[in-house]
C-alpha cells in the first residue's frame, strides 16, 4: 500500500485522481476514517487553514493512523505554491518516519509552475505577481521559495528544495528518492514516483447526475472572471447578511459569493456557504457538485458528513470526480482553470 498525507482536500483529490489513472484501488479519507486495505490511501488532514498548533495535532493524529497500516512508502502532498504549514508538517513527518532527508518538490512544470535559482514562477511570471498575493489566509508576497516557506536557511537542514523547470527535472528528482528520504510536494512529483512502478491506464467516460451545481468559494480573480462569462444562472450568497435563501431555479447553476468587501473571516464565510449549500442539496437524490477551492470543498463535505470518497474519473490534472455517500463531487484547486470538458457540461 502507498500512502499520501495531504493538507487540503483538492490536493488530496488530485492525488486520488492520479492513483485512479495508474489503476490503483484508491480511497480518499477525511478525519479519522481509515482505508488500510487500499492500494493507495490518500489521507486528507484539512489542516492548511488551521492555526499551527491545531494543524500539528491533527496531522500527527492522522499520520499515526496511516503509519499504523505500514505503507510501503509515504508521500506528503503540499500546496504547489507552499501555502499552509508546509515546513512544520514536513519536519514532523520526517521525525515520525525516521527519515533523515526529504526532497520537497512543490512546482508543477506541466502547469507552467517552475522553480529556478530559488525563485518560483507561474508561466514565467513571479508567483507573487500572478494572483496569489490576494490569498486571504496565506498571501504570497515574494517569489523567493524560502520566504514562501517562512523559513531561514538554517531551518532547512536535511531538506532539499527541488529546482524543477521541466518534467525531466522532476523525473530526475524522483530517481533520488530512497528508503531514508521522504518525498514531498506536487502532483508532478508524485506522478513521477508512481511512474517508476506503474503504467497509466485508459479511463472510461462516466455518466453524470443532475442537477449540476458549480460552487465557487474562491476569491481568485481569474476564476471569477472565467465563469462570469458563461451563460449560466448564478445564485449569489451575501457576504455580510445572514438571510440568503438559495433555491434550485435551474438544472445547471453557479453558486458564489456576491462581489464586494466584508469584515468576515475566510473561515466564517466558508462555514456560511457550506451550510447554505447543504440545505439546498439535502433533498436531492444524486446531485453533481463541482466545487473550486479546497477549503470551500472541505467545509461543504463537513456539512454533508462525507468522510470517505472514491475517485471515478480524472477529468484533467487536479480536476477529479469522486463518489461519496449521497453525491458526486468534482473538485479542483481554486487557482486551476476548469477544463473544456467540464465547462461543456455547464454551457
Amino acid at each position: 500500500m502507498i500512502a499520501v498525507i495531504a493538507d487540503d482536500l483538492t490536493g488530496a483529490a488530485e492525488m486520488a485522481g492520479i492513483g485512479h489513472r495508474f489503476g490503483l484501488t484508491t480511497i480518499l479519507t477525511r478525519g479519522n476514517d481509515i482505508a488500510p486495505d487500499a492500494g493507495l490511501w490518500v489521507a486528507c488532514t484539512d489542516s492548511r487553514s488551521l492555526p499551527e498548533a491545531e494543524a500539528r495535532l491533527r496531522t500527527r493524529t492522522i499520520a499515526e493512523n496511516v503509519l499504523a497500516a505500514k505503507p510501503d512508502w509515504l508521500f506528503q502532498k503540499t500546496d504547489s505554491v507552499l501555502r499552509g504549514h508546509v515546513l512544520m508538517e514536513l519536519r514532523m513527518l520526517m521525525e515520525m518516519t525516521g527519515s533523515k532527508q526529504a526532497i520537497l518538490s512543490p512546482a508543477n512544470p506541466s502547469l507552467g509552475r517552475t522553480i529556478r535559482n530559488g525563485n518560483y514562477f507561474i508561466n514565467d511570471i513571479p508567483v507573487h505577481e500572478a494572483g496569489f498575493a490576494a490569498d486571504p489566509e496565506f498571501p504570497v508576497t515574494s517569489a523567493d521559495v524560502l520566504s514562501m516557506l517562512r523559513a531561514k536557511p538554517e531551518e532547512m537542514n536535511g531538506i532539499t528544495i527541488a529546482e524543477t523547470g521541466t518534467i525531466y527535472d522532476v523525473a530526475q528528482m524522483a530517481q533520488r528518492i530512497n528508503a531514508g528520504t521522504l518525498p514531498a510536494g506536487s502532483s508532478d512529483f508524485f506522478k513521477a514516483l508512481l511512474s517508476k512502478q506503474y503504467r497509466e491506464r485508459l479511463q472510461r467516460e462516466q455518466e453524470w447526475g443532475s442537477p449540476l451545481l458549480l460552487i465557487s468559494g474562491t476569491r481568485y480573480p481569474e476564476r471569477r472572471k472565467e465563469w462570469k462569462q458563461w451563460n449560466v444562472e448564478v445564485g449569489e450568497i451575501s457576504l455580510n447578511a445572514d438571510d440568503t435563501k438559495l433555491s434550485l431555479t435551474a438544472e445547471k447553476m453557479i453558486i458564489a459569493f456576491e462581489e464586494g468587501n466584508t469584515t468576515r473571516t475566510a473561515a466564517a464565510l466558508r462555514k456560511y456557504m457550506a451550510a447554505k449549500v447543504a440545505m439546498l442539496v439535502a433533498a436531492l437524490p444524486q446531485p453533481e457538485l463541482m466545487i473550486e477551492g479546497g477549503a470551500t470543498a472541505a467545509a461543504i463535505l463537513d456539512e454533508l458528513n462525507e468522510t470517505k470518497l472514491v475517485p471515478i474519473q480524472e477529468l484533467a490534472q487536479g480536476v477529479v470526480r469522486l463518489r461519496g455517500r449521497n453525491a458526486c463531487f468534482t473538485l479542483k484547486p481554486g487557482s486551476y482553470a476548469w477544463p473544456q470538458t467540464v465547462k461543456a457540461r455547464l454551457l
Side-chain angles (χ1 to χ4, degrees):
M1 185 257 285
I2 299 167
V4 173
I5 294 177
D7 69 344
D8 159 84
L9 182 55
T10 52
E14 186 171 18
M15 298 294 100
I18 293 170
H20 180 70
R21 188 200 316 173
F22 279 88
L24 296 171
T25 302
T26 302
I27 298 176
L28 187 161
T29 63
R30 306 180 61 239
N32 291 321
D33 216 329
I34 61 174
D37 297 325
L40 172 62
W41 176 5
V42 182
C44 177
T45 64
D46 288 320
S47 60
R48 183 179 302 171
S49 297
L50 295 178
E52 183 169 320
E54 192 174 344
R56 182 190 302 274
L57 178 61
R58 182 180 296 184
T59 301
R60 179 175 289 277
T61 300
I62 291 175
E64 287 173 347
N65 291 339
V66 170
L67 293 174
K70 300 188 183 306
D72 296 329
W73 53 277
L74 175 70
F75 184 89
Q76 182 199 4
K77 171 66 174 72
T78 72
D79 179 48
S80 64
V81 293
L82 300 171
R83 293 167 296 182
H85 309 289
V86 174
L87 191 57
M88 177 274 289
E89 292 175 355
L90 177 55
R91 281 284 184 203
M92 183 167 60
L93 290 176
M94 289 174 68
E95 174 197 339
M96 294 178 73
T97 59
S99 301
K100 301 299 183 184
Q101 304 288 326
I103 293 179
L104 174 59
S105 181
N108 273 327
S110 65
L111 297 174
R113 301 180 178 206
T114 58
I115 294 176
R116 303 191 305 271
N117 299 319
N119 290 291
Y120 199 115
F121 299 88
I122 296 182
N123 297 321
D124 294 325
I125 299 172
V127 62
H128 62 297
E129 299 175 9
F132 287 96
D135 187 282
E137 293 175 295
F138 296 99
V140 180
T141 58
S142 170
D144 177 75
V145 175
L146 283 183
S147 295
M148 294 168 70
L149 282 168
R150 300 178 296 284
K152 298 176 181 178
E154 57 268 25
E155 296 176 298
M156 301 304 292
N157 185 40
I159 300 174
T160 298
I161 300 176
E163 295 263 333
T164 47
T166 66
I167 289 295
Y168 176 78
D169 295 337
V170 177
Q172 291 296 106
M173 281 293 165
Q175 294 301 321
R176 292 176 54 182
I177 297 298
N178 55 41
T181 303
L182 178 67
S186 69
S187 57
D188 276 357
F189 193 28
F190 183 61
K191 183 168 59 178
L193 290 166
L194 283 187
S195 296
K196 295 164 63 176
Q197 295 179 258
Y198 304 96
R199 292 185 178 180
E200 298 182 26
R201 67 173 189 173
L202 184 66
Q203 298 188 62
R204 296 180 180 178
E205 180 65 23
Q206 304 283 335
E207 291 188 7
W208 286 53
S210 182
L212 180 59
L213 307 176
L214 188 155
I215 302 162
S216 178
T218 184
R219 307 294 292 276
Y220 191 71
E222 291 303 313
R223 296 291 74 80
R224 292 186 66 89
K225 185 186 301 182
E226 178 184 33
W227 58 251
K228 286 186 74 173
Q229 296 173 355
W230 306 344
N231 187 26
V232 180
E233 187 162 341
V234 178
E236 289 197 331
I237 296 177
S238 173
L239 281 169
N240 297 296
D242 291 326
D243 57 354
T244 298
K245 294 182 179 179
L246 285 178
S247 58
L248 188 66
T249 56
E251 286 299 297
K252 298 178 180 181
M253 288 184 63
I254 295 172
I255 298 172
F257 284 112
E258 65 185 359
E259 292 192 79
N261 298 315
T262 181
T263 57
R264 289 183 171 182
T265 65
L269 288 173
R270 284 194 298 270
K271 188 173 180 61
Y272 180 53
M273 170 178 267
K276 295 297 181 181
V277 169
M279 289 176 60
L280 177 64
V281 305
L284 302 175
Q286 191 62 37
E288 291 277 351
L289 306 185
M290 300 165 52
I291 311 174
E292 53 183 3
T296 300
I300 292 171
L301 266 65
D302 283 346
E303 286 287 335
L304 297 173
N305 195 29
E306 295 279 3
T307 62
K308 186 171 285 186
L309 302 165
V310 176
I312 54 178
Q313 200 171 2
E314 187 190 33
L315 300 161
Q317 184 167 339
V319 185
V320 181
R321 186 166 171 251
L322 307 104
R323 189 178 305 282
R325 291 184 303 109
N326 300 308
C328 286
F329 304 90
T330 300
L331 308 181
K332 76 166 188 65
S335 62
Y336 285 23
W338 288 107
Q340 189 58 45
T341 52
V342 174
K343 288 190 285 187
R345 293 187 176 276
L346 275 170
L347 302 179

